[in-house]
């Protein structure tokens, strides 16, 4: 028997092909790239803001939970339908991709794949810098909702730094606009930036105005090899304090190097303790000089080898191996728990030390890579979901990773968001009142708590990470 | 579904392979059915997850049928997957389980019996199709349909495909084919041709041209008579046992000859031949023999390319694009050679179409059983083909060839565009025929 709201839904989304009801379809929208599998009662695929507004009005009236979803690449459980209700799939909202060359902005629909925007922008001779590794599969809506970052975050910032304005459907079904198309905008509260990174808990983003910048003229990539992990940490600080601002600065520990070499040999030295990959962009003359400087600094703090790649092909080769880290480490063991705890840059060596201790203490396959330049490390634990004992150790290890990050003055998440996975630790970072203020904002926006419930804020009694059923 | 039976199911359905998937979505953009149907259920990641759900008893087996039957099996997702998830194995397992489970509907049963059970494994059955196809030019399709019972295949759209079938070859000519054709000039290799059942009945000329090209490039060619259907359709419809029998027959047939390679010219057949080792992995006496067979099986394009390509080709201006067969690209991983051969033909202007490696929707008998879905996929393909302004679409598989012809017809481009098999394309340019 269909419930009342389900029948009403069919009057709202007239094309009933865009309301999914059978078990296979429902289960297909019950997961993301993290943990857990749930079953919503309906999946709807709206095409425009009007349909979204109608769905929200109906859901609000009946107090039905709604979970916005892009391509489900979230690593923290953001789009999971924890409590039944409706998954609102935004992937069909792709109508708009307009580039305004005069104002260096782009207006885009939320369901567009990020790399499509990057391509279109590039064709016009501009640059949209945020580059999550998932850019060719994730939606721009998902990127905004998660405030996604990437290697280029160091110099260019994250998605939020490029969002000028939003069109949003509120949980009560009202269509509002925040921000605008100007670079400067100080009118009232900055709702735009409040919505950025709100993980679908405050409203459904239905249109985004992005800021674009001119394309850098050229770039070089530098591979540096270290025999001591601590030296690589020092190299990061020394380069950054020398006044050079690399566009990316990525680190890989020895476990990652080995995994990559086992997976698809890239010619990385398997006996090294760490590798730093540094990218500089800008005027060719300037980066030529900076590259020499980076070379010198790295050697001074103990780099065993420094290779500078200028040609497109050579650079691509260097970065290809970095891209292989994720798949390569997944070969160690099938279940990958990917964290993104972030610390102040100066604390990177200390964080490495803590991570090594956690690795030993819990006897786990823990590897580290990440965006070292901005302190955003990706400790990854490789385990096997079917091994309960191991998963218990993973849960404890992850909790310790979060604690270490917070103790060192860092944060739970540099880019993957809180979702369901990190919510138990929110109070540790923000304090009781800090979290309560966030909660008040949520309650003001969403009085019936229907917008992506169960995310960001811990549920009653939810005090630790649970990965086993 | 509890306890032991769930364990059995997990074994059969390839549950263990599903753990390699980290649900990253990297396979979504390359999947034609995700593109055209627009729901996760019809994406590789979605399908893998559903197989897992069934194996864990969270979903009924029957609920898996549609997502699995609507999959093309093109394996583009396997190429895209960063963790090397063996989707092919998962799909195969799911099909087998669905097949076991199914109380087949009458019309489906008849279809499979006729198309798969009777015609494909028997050379006389295929010969019959070949003969009738030839007769068809004069008598119309009804005769074929009546003889074979294909008329009962409604709602299939065989009539639509009938319009794009190649001109058949007279029985006499087919019968007069010899068992051995020696190389011209210096002998570089000795090979045997895997003729394939569809290839040999409907595309007899392409097989003859394959022999001609091989001879030209310096290869002696045998055509073992004892060979049979490759078994691809059986494998793809969950009839693994039947596929195994055919594999054994073929291995035996080719072992009789002292040859360097078993050459095939149909991407789909070639892919199936390359699966023989896996198919027979549980049968000790056959595993090693299958390994050898697989090692020696080669697509015509790689053999010709290794022989230095075809010399003495006529120079004529022509704009060409290429639709690779999925099984050649994603299973056999042959991507470079066919294009290289096309590009070396004097006068050819080669233009790659967008998303060239995406399936055209032909996929075995997919376009017959899932006609509407297949046409949606074909329409996307034609949208990518048109901007190349090609006069010729070269393909490497009979199924793709027919599908391309269908696409040309749907777009009303018969006057300006043609589709042709790579082998025939090279053969028509041979200076000394
Ligand atoms: C292999 C891999 C690599 C990754 N690399 C990076 C990386 O380098 N940097 C990084 O930051 N992240 C990375 N991620 C994480 C992930 O890709 C990002 O968080 C991405 O932004 C999610 O986009 P999506 O379209 O998949 O959204 P989903 O996963 O579907 O949803 C994410 C969140 O956004 C909400 N949401 C989605 N659309 C809307 C909307 N229109 N309105 C309101 N809320 C919405 C959802 O409710 C959910 O909370 C990676 C993930 C994978 C699997
Ligand atoms: S690309 Fe591979 S790992 Fe990623 S979702 Fe697809 S099958 Fe799974
Ligand atoms: S085999 Fe082809 S159609 Fe099937 S899931 Fe993979 S990419 Fe999609």
């Amino acid at each position: 028997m269909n419930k009342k709201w389900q029948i009403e839904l069919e009057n709202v989304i007239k094309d009933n092909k865009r309301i999914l009801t059978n078990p296979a379809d429902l289960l297909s929208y019950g997961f993301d790239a993290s943990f857990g599998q749930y079953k919503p009662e309906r999946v709807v695929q709206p095409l425009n803001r009007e349909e979204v507004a109608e769905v929200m009005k109906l859901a609000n009236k009946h107090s039905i939970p709604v979970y916005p979803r892009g391509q489900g690449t979230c690593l923290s459980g953001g789009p999971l339908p924890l409590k039944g209700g409706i998954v609102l799939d935004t992937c069909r909202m792709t109508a708009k991709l307009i580039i305004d060359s005069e104002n260096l902005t782009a207006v885009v629909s939320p369901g567009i794949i990020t790399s499509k925007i990057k391509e279109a922008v590039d064709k016009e001779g501009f640059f949209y810098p945020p580059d999550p590794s998932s850019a060719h599969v994730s939606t721009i809506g998902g990127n905004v909702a998660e405030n996604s970052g990437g290697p280029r975050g160091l110099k260019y910032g994250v998605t939020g730094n490029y969002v000028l304005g939003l069109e949003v459907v509120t949980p009560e079904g009202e269509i509002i606009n925040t921000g605008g198309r100007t670079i400067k905008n100080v009118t009232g509260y900055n709702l735009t930036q409040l919505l950025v990174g709100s993980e679908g808990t405050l409203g459904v983003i239905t249109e985004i105005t992005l800021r674009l910048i001119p394309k850098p003229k050229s770039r070089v990539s530098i591979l540096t090899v270290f025999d001591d992990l601590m030296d690589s940490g020092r190299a990061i600080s020394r380069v950054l304090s020398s006044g050079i601002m690399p566009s990316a600065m990525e680190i890989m520990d020895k476990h990652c190097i080995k995994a990559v070499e086992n997976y698809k040999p890239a010619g990385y030295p398997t006996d090294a303790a760490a590798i730093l990959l540094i990218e500089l962009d800008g005027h060719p003359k300037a980066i030529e000089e900076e590259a020499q400087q980076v070379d010198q600094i790295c050697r001074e703090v103990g780099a065993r080898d420094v290779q500078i790649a200028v040609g497109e092909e050579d650079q691509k080769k260097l970065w290809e191996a970095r891209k292989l880290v994720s798949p390569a480490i997944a070969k160690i063991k099938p279940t990958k728990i990917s964290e993104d705890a972030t610390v102040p840059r100066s604390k990177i060596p200390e964080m490495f030390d803590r991570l090594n201790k956690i690795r030993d203490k819990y006897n786990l396959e823990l590897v580290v890579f990440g965006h070292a330049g901005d302190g955003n490390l990706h400790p990854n634990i490789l385990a096997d979901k079917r091994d309960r004992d191991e998963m218990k150790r993973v849960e404890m290890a992850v909790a310790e990773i979060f604690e270490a990050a917070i103790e060192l003055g860092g944060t739970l998440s540099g880019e993957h968001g809180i979702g369901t996975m990190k919510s138990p630790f929110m109070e540790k970072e923000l304090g009781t009142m800090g979290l309560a203020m966030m909660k008040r904002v949520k309650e003001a926006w969403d009085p019936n708590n229907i917008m992506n419930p169960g995310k960001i804020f811990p549920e009653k009694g939810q005090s630790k990470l649970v990965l086993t059923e | 579904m509890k306890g032991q039976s769930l364990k059995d199911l997990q074994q059969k359905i390839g549950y263990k392979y599903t753990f390699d998937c980290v649900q990253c979505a990297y396979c979504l953009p390359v999947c034609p059915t995700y593109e055209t149907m627009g729901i996760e259920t019809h994406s590789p990641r979605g399908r893998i997850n559903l197989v897992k759900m069934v194996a864990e008893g969270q979903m009924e087996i029957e609920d898996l049928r549609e997502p699995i039957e609507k999959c093309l099996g093109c394996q583009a997702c396997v190429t895209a997957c960063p963790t090397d998830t063996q989707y092919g194995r998962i799909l195969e397992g799911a099909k087998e389980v669905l097949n076991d489970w199914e109380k087949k509907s009458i019309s489906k049963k008849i279809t499979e019996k006729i198309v798969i059970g009777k015609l494909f494994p028997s050379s006389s059955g295929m010969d019959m199709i070949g003969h009738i196809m030839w007769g068809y030019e004069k008598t119309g399709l009804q005769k074929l349909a009546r003889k074979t019972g294909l008329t009962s295949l409604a709602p299939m759209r065989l009539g639509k495909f009938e319009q794009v079938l190649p001109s058949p070859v007279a029985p006499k000519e087919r019968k007069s084919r010899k068992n051995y054709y020696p190389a011209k000039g210096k002998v570089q290799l000795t090979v045997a041709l895997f003729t394939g059942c569809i290839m040999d009945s409907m595309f007899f000329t392409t097989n003859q041209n394959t022999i001609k090209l091989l001879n030209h490039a310096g290869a002696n060619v045998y055509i073992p008579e004892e060979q049979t259907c490759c078994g691809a359709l059986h494998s793809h419809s969950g009839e693994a046992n039947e596929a195994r029998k055919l594999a054994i027959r073929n291995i035996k047939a080719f072992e009789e000859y002292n040859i360097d390679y078993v050459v095939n010219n149909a991407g789909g057949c070639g892919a199936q031949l390359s699966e023989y080792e896996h198919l027979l992995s549980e049968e000790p006496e056959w595993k090693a023999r299958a390994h050898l067979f697989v090692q020696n099986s080669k697509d015509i394009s790689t053999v010709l390319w290794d022989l230095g390509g075809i010399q003495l080709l006529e120079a004529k201006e022509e704009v060409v694009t290429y639709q690779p067969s999925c099984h050649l690209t994603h299973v056999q991983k042959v991507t470079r050679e066919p294009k290289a051969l096309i590009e070396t033909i004097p006068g050819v202007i080669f233009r790659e179409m967008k998303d060239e490696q995406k399936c055209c929707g032909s996929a075995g008998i997919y376009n017959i059983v899932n006609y509407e879905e297949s046409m949606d996929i074909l329409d996307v393909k034609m949208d990518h083909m048109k901007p190349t302004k090609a006069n010729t679409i070269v393909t490497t598989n009979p199924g793709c060839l027919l599908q391309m012809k269908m696409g040309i017809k749907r777009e009303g481009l018969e006057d300006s565009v043609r589709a042709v098999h790579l082998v025939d394309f090279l053969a028509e340019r041979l200076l000394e025929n």
Side-chain angles (χ1 to χ4, degrees), chain A residues 32-33 67-75 77-79 90 110 131-134 137-151 199-201 203-206 326 336 371 378 415-416 452 455, chain B residues 22-26:
Chain A
D32 66 2
Y67 317 87
R69 186 182 191 266
Q71 287 262 88
T73 65
C74 187
L75 293 168
T90 58
D131 59 344
S133 318
S134 55
V137 288
S138 59
T139 66
I140 187 71
N143 287 182
V144 174
E146 292 290 343
N147 199 1
S148 300
E199 306 185 21
T201 62
V204 185
I205 298 160
T206 50
S326 252
K336 186 165 156 263
H371 319 309
H378 287 313
E415 56 183 23
H416 297 164
N452 208 359
K455 316 296 158 64
Chain B
V22 294
Q23 305 192 321
C24 66
Y26 280 26

Side-chain angles (χ1 to χ4, degrees), chain A residues 1-4 42 57 124 202 207 229 250 254 269 278 315 339 342 399 401 429 433 461 466:
Chain A
M1 257 309 277
N2 279 347
K3 295 176 188 162
K4 192 155 172 259
R42 288 291 180 267
K57 277 189 185 134
E124 299 287 321
L202 298 181
E207 194 175 286
L229 194 63
E250 300 284 301
K254 65 175 178 218
I278 302 170
Q315 298 200 53
E339 287 311 332
T342 301
I401 293 174
E429 178 172 340
M433 208 50 218
V466 181

Side-chain angles (χ1 to χ4, degrees), chain A residues 71-112:
Chain A
Q71 287 262 88
T73 65
C74 187
L75 293 168
S76 57
L80 298 178
L82 299 183
K83 300 160 192 254
I86 300 170
V87 167
L88 189 145
D89 175 20
T90 58
C91 289
R92 294 202 179 202
M93 298 176 67
T94 54
K96 224 182 241 183
L97 202 181
I98 301 166
I99 295 170
D100 177 350
S101 329
E102 274 182 15
N103 291 308
L104 257 78
T105 55
V107 180
V108 301
S109 299
I112 297 182

Side-chain angles (χ1 to χ4, degrees), chain A residues 25 29 71 92 263 327 331, chain B residues 34 37 40-41 45 82-83:
Chain A
D25 291 334
Y29 287 84
Q71 287 262 88
R92 294 202 179 202
Y263 183 65
K331 288 278 145 204
Chain B
Y34 181 65
M37 301 191 208
E40 182 82 51
T41 325
R45 178 178 68 170
T83 67

Side-chain angles (χ1 to χ4, degrees), chain B residues 200-211:
Chain B
D200 216 33
S201 53
M202 297 194 200
F203 298 88
F204 185 81
T205 319
T206 306
N207 273 349
Q208 293 304 97
N209 280 335
T210 306
I211 299 167

